[in-house]
Amino acid sequence: MSSSSTIESVLVENRVFPPDARATEGARIAGMAAYEALCQRAASDFEGFWADQARANVVWSKPFTRTLDESRAPFYKWFDDGELNASANCLDKHIGTPVENKTAIVFEADDGTVTSVTYKELLARVSQFANALKTQGIAKGDRVIIYMPMTIEGVVAMQACARIGATHSVVFGGFSAKALQERIIDAGAKAVVTANFQMRGGKELPLKAIVDDAIALGGCDTLQTVLVYERTASAWNRVEGRDKTFTEVLQGQSSECAPQPVGAEHPLFILYTSGSTGKPKGVQHATGGYLLWAKLTMDWTFDIRPEDVFWCTADIGWITGHTYVAYGPLAAGATQVVFEGIPTFPHAGRFWQMIEKHKVSIFYTAPTAIRSLIKAADSDEKVHPKNWDLGSLRILGSVGEPINPEAWMWYHVNVGREKCPIVDTFWQTETGGHVITPLPGATPLVPGSCTLPLPGIMAAIVDETGKDIPNGSGGMLVIKRPWPSMIRTIWNDPERFKKSYFPEEMGGTIYLAGDGAVRSADRGYFRITGRIDDVLNVSGHRLGTMEIESALVAKTDLVAEAAVVGRPDDVTGEAVCAFVVLKRSRPTGEEAKAIAAELRNWVAKEIGPIAKPKDIRFGDNLPKTRSGKIMRRLLRSIAKGEAITQDTSTLENPAILEQLAQSN
Ligand code: WTA
């Protein structure tokens, strides 16, 4: 990361958009003075601040008396003698209030069919499914893998686990059998909840068959049951004794199920994400703190109001789909849209059409989606957002990767019609919810900046030793104090948790986000400059370079060595670029193309289609130092198509650079 280039681009971006009266009036945090007062309170009485929030925003079946326990830092505990149930906080809480008959979820299927459920109906469905899980022998503390498409049933499965105190681990429906098998084994899952097929872009894609393949890979010894939601009428292969349909297990189940109280630190879920080594990390979240932040960020960041229609386009397989589909909107009593399909089917105006149709007032999506829809609208007027009435929109959100100022402006002008604040929310699987974000009724916006930390989040930019870096210079993003929704540990690997996030050089208790950032000289606004570890962000999805390298070298008949780096991409943010040395001589022309295609499909099978390298280059060798270390910075330059200006004096085999630059 070069701080001079980051400073330059911060200086270039000097447009400021103050919140207008429409956003400020009646907002929960109205104006910067109100924001600063909350920050002050958190700074002067940290535990008191959080205790108040936890009492006001969470329903406790047993109140907590201890707010924060730091005695085993960085294994922090929050509200740990309190008890609650997450599902009761999302559903039961609304019964007997005007929310009970309000629509909880409006579901739009891939083909446009719409179904909806009220809070009361959703509670009944979650309870029934919770009873079904119990009948299958699932109890508090058991792990359940959810491998489901975007459906009401997917949310029901998550809520039902929470209701009985089972820990869910949702695996994105685009992950491969191998990736699924690793997660079933690591989590020690007792059950997998899946669907026979999923519908995406008019195509019926298998899910259950992938579960079968995963189990066939072996080692899933803890697994007893596979529950199958029949999303489509198509036939699927049933393994007798192990597989059961939703209809079968729901048959005769009561629609009442008392929520199981759990301790605040009870693991609500594990969600696997990529880190800098090959193996994905099982990020473990606690029930109390996570739920508090899911609810509170709905109030603060989205300023959610009773009449809002909220739509977060993220899949439940990612953290955004956990916090801002499965938990946050329900805890807030909001009406939300859940969408099964993809933004470009049947045309690239689908999002805008759905906003008009469902009168969406808060729309939350990823920069990648925006960039691809800009491209589509540029080449086809008919899918430009101007063709739809987007007057219902009040607030826009962005998540998952930095949003470039050009995309921000397009979103602001063409979607928000210059009336809607854009909340550029920075956060991570590990943070559980937003940590740095504008507040719609308070923060003056600067395109491309996630602006300021939420109250209680002690974010800072430091050097390797933990020393603060002055505004205007780049450094590492950290959070200096714990916060309730933070990762508790890596499932099965507490040592890795400590090592990955709490560097000894900084004292061992400060959370290291893994992103570089810079604060602007004038306002102290944060701007994220990208990962500082070996993690790529492709279309807002986290991918470990090592993970892809391991997948490539696992093709033992073909690949001798592989190195993976990211390069900037106009639409996906970053793209995967792989440098590969084969066990046979370096291929060229048609042969190179054919082998590259074979390797792409191989990676899709090993990890999932999202990890497919966009660019594969073959070399006789890789650029290495004399001690044998691959010089990735050189590969990054080659991938970008840049001239090599770095020092190459330690390079063992300089001629390789030319070869790799040419072979494309
Ligand atoms: C990146 C997604 C810039 C960042 C919620 C982070 C962002 C990683 C933003 C986490 C943003 C997320 N601006 N970068 N608003 N939001 N990121 O775990 O690199 O899938 O570390 O969580 O995405 O990705 P994850």
Side-chain angles (χ1 to χ4, degrees):
M1 184 182 51
S2 128
S3 51
S4 61
S5 66
T6 52
I7 293 168
E8 196 177 69
S9 45
V10 167
L11 290 178
V12 169
E13 190 47 73
N14 51 16
R15 287 168 289 197
V16 179
F17 298 81
D20 67 12
R22 199 171 91 120
T24 309
E25 210 181 291
R28 283 194 186 72
I29 303 182
M32 287 309 272
Y35 162 74
E36 277 151 19
L38 279 164
C39 293
Q40 271 304 320
R41 170 84 210 285
S44 60
D45 176 17
F46 190 65
E47 288 195 30
F49 164 83
W50 283 117
D52 285 354
Q53 297 301 345
R55 289 195 184 102
N57 290 286
V58 175
V59 181
W60 299 91
S61 47
K62 177 173 167 247
F64 62 91
T65 63
R66 283 192 302 268
T67 303
L68 171 62
D69 177 359
E70 302 186 70
S71 58
R72 288 183 56 242
F75 298 93
Y76 299 101
K77 288 183 187 168
W78 284 92
F79 323 117
D80 80 311
D81 62 341
E83 289 184 2
L84 75 160
N85 179 278
S87 161
N89 267 277
C90 293
L91 301 169
D92 307 57
K93 174 175 100 178
H94 305 301
I95 303 305
T97 80
V99 176
E100 72 174 9
N101 291 317
K102 182 176 171 176
T103 301
I105 298 177
V106 182
F107 173 69
E108 180 159 325
D110 190 57
D111 68 0
T113 311
V114 175
T115 42
S116 58
V117 283
T118 65
Y119 272 88
K120 217 173 177 173
E121 288 161 353
L122 189 60
L123 172 61
R125 283 173 67 171
V126 168
S127 300
Q128 268 194 320
F129 198 72
N131 285 327
L133 287 173
K134 286 204 246 177
T135 314
Q136 297 307 309
I138 311 295
K140 181 181 167 189
D142 288 339
R143 272 83 57 210
V144 175
I145 295 274
I146 298 176
Y147 189 60
M148 289 279 277
M150 284 298 282
T151 43
I152 295 177
E153 285 70 14
V155 176
V156 167
M158 293 167 79
Q159 285 281 338
C161 287
R163 197 161 186 86
I164 63 171
T167 299
H168 60 68
S169 185
V170 185
V171 177
F172 174 59
F175 275 119
S176 69
K178 177 86 186 307
L180 179 61
Q181 176 229 20
E182 284 167 3
R183 286 157 175 76
I184 296 172
I185 295 174
D186 191 73
K190 214 166 172 180
V192 172
V193 180
T194 189
N196 61 341
F197 290 91
Q198 59 177 335
M199 295 302 303
R200 281 175 76 83
K203 289 197 213 92
E204 192 177 31
L205 305 170
L207 274 181
K208 169 60 171 60
I210 298 173
V211 175
D212 290 346
D213 291 347
I215 299 169
L217 289 170
C220 304
D221 305 332
T222 50
L223 189 67
Q224 295 173 358
T225 314
V226 177
L227 301 180
V228 184
Y229 166 57
E230 293 180 285
R231 168 65 188 87
T232 70
S234 302
W236 49 282
N237 175 50
R238 175 198 282 262
V239 176
E240 287 304 331
R242 189 194 72 191
D243 301 349
K244 293 167 189 101
T245 66
F246 270 37
T247 318
E248 286 159 4
V249 296
L250 286 169
Q251 182 77 39
Q253 296 293 354
S254 158
S255 55
E256 279 175 30
C257 170
Q260 167 74 50
V262 299
E265 284 296 310
H266 181 74
L268 178 62
F269 64 86
I270 305 165
L271 182 60
Y272 288 86
T273 188
S274 294
S276 20
T277 63
K279 199 169 167 260
K281 310 188 263 204
V283 173
Q284 180 180 321
H285 277 287
T287 308
Y290 173 81
L291 199 88
L292 164 62
W293 205 227
K295 158 74 168 63
L296 197 50
T297 50
M298 287 299 299
D299 287 350
W300 282 355
T301 311
F302 296 119
D303 194 28
I304 190 93
R305 301 178 190 193
E307 60 283 5
D308 272 320
V309 176
F310 180 81
W311 182 18
C312 164
T313 65
D315 192 283
I316 54 167
W318 309 113
I319 189 68
T320 309
H322 280 58
T323 313
Y324 301 106
V325 177
Y327 290 103
L330 299 178
T335 294
Q336 71 170 319
V337 174
V338 170
F339 177 43
E340 179 180 44
I342 58 171
T344 48
F345 175 83
H347 55 75
R350 182 80 183 260
F351 275 3
W352 324 130
Q353 185 181 35
M354 282 181 64
I355 290 171
E356 177 185 285
K357 177 165 155 193
H358 301 295
K359 301 199 167 43
V360 171
S361 58
I362 304 177
F363 180 64
Y364 190 35
T365 196
T368 292
I370 299 166
R371 286 190 298 262
S372 73
L373 298 178
I374 294 175
K375 239 182 160 174
D378 280 351
S379 61
D380 180 4
E381 283 254 303
K382 290 202 297 299
V383 297
H384 193 281
K386 69 183 175 199
N387 298 300
W388 286 276
D389 176 4
L390 306 183
S392 57
L393 285 172
R394 192 166 80 74
I395 293 171
L396 300 174
S398 171
V399 59
E401 45 180 325
I403 178 163
N404 47 313
E406 297 69 33
W408 195 101
M409 284 308 298
W410 188 91
Y411 198 29
H412 175 66
V413 172
N414 296 294
V415 184
R417 313 273 152 98
E418 297 183 54
K419 286 193 307 235
C420 304
I422 298 179
V423 288
D424 175 2
T425 62
F426 169 82
W427 60 296
Q428 309 172 298
T429 305
E430 292 87 345
T431 67
H434 307 148
V435 285
I436 308 181
T437 175
L439 297 168
T443 319
L445 304 172
V446 171
S449 166
C450 54
T451 74
L452 295 168
L454 285 171
I457 303 293
M458 306 305 184
I461 297 177
V462 300
D463 66 15
E464 291 78 11
T465 62
K467 217 172 94 238
D468 282 324
I469 279 186
N471 290 357
S473 304
M476 294 187 268
L477 179 65
V478 295
I479 304 178
K480 291 190 165 176
R481 297 285 285 135
W483 67 101
S485 68
M486 71 193 295
I487 173 175
R488 291 305 192 267
T489 188
I490 292 176
W491 182 259
N492 278 338
D493 206 345
E495 272 312 304
R496 188 174 177 200
F497 166 72
K498 277 209 293 202
K499 259 185 43 204
S500 315
Y501 303 111
F502 300 92
E504 281 301 324
E505 311 79 75
M506 296 184 188
T509 57
I510 290 179
Y511 174 80
L512 178 72
D515 280 292
V518 58
R519 297 185 75 157
S520 63
D522 51 351
R523 296 170 181 266
Y525 276 10
F526 287 73
R527 196 169 61 81
I528 307 299
T529 50
R531 300 287 307 191
I532 50 172
D533 53 10
D534 294 318
V535 171
L536 305 183
N537 192 324
V538 179
S539 299
H541 301 150
R542 264 167 79 168
L543 294 169
T545 51
M546 310 269 195
E547 210 176 328
I548 305 172
E549 287 168 11
S550 313
L552 285 165
V553 296
K555 183 123 185 72
T556 48
D557 58 331
L558 202 58
V559 177
E561 210 176 1
V564 168
V565 298
R567 69 162 158 80
D569 184 281
D570 283 352
V571 173
T572 59
E574 269 188 300
V576 178
C577 184
F579 294 88
V580 176
V581 181
L582 295 181
K583 285 186 172 165
R584 64 175 91 155
S585 60
R586 186 169 74 96
T588 53
E590 288 307 310
E591 194 198 2
K593 274 194 198 141
I595 296 178
E598 187 182 348
L599 290 178
R600 266 188 210 103
N601 291 335
W602 170 263
V603 172
K605 263 185 66 189
E606 286 285 295
I607 304 174
I610 50 170
K612 275 188 189 181
K614 182 158 184 185
D615 193 356
I616 296 188
R617 298 184 187 206
F618 299 101
D620 293 324
N621 212 325
L622 295 173
K624 286 183 187 163
T625 60
R626 290 190 183 89
S627 57
K629 214 168 155 273
I630 297 174
M631 297 180 78
R632 285 164 197 282
R633 58 189 172 87
L634 298 181
L635 291 178
R636 275 192 281 271
S637 297
I638 296 173
K640 272 194 222 168
E642 280 174 2
I644 306 278
T645 53
Q646 297 105 321
D647 176 22
T648 54
S649 56
T650 54
L651 189 61
E652 161 89 21
N653 47 348
I656 194 67
L657 298 179
E658 187 118 337
Q659 185 185 72
L660 291 172
Q662 281 167 3
S663 67
N664 196 358

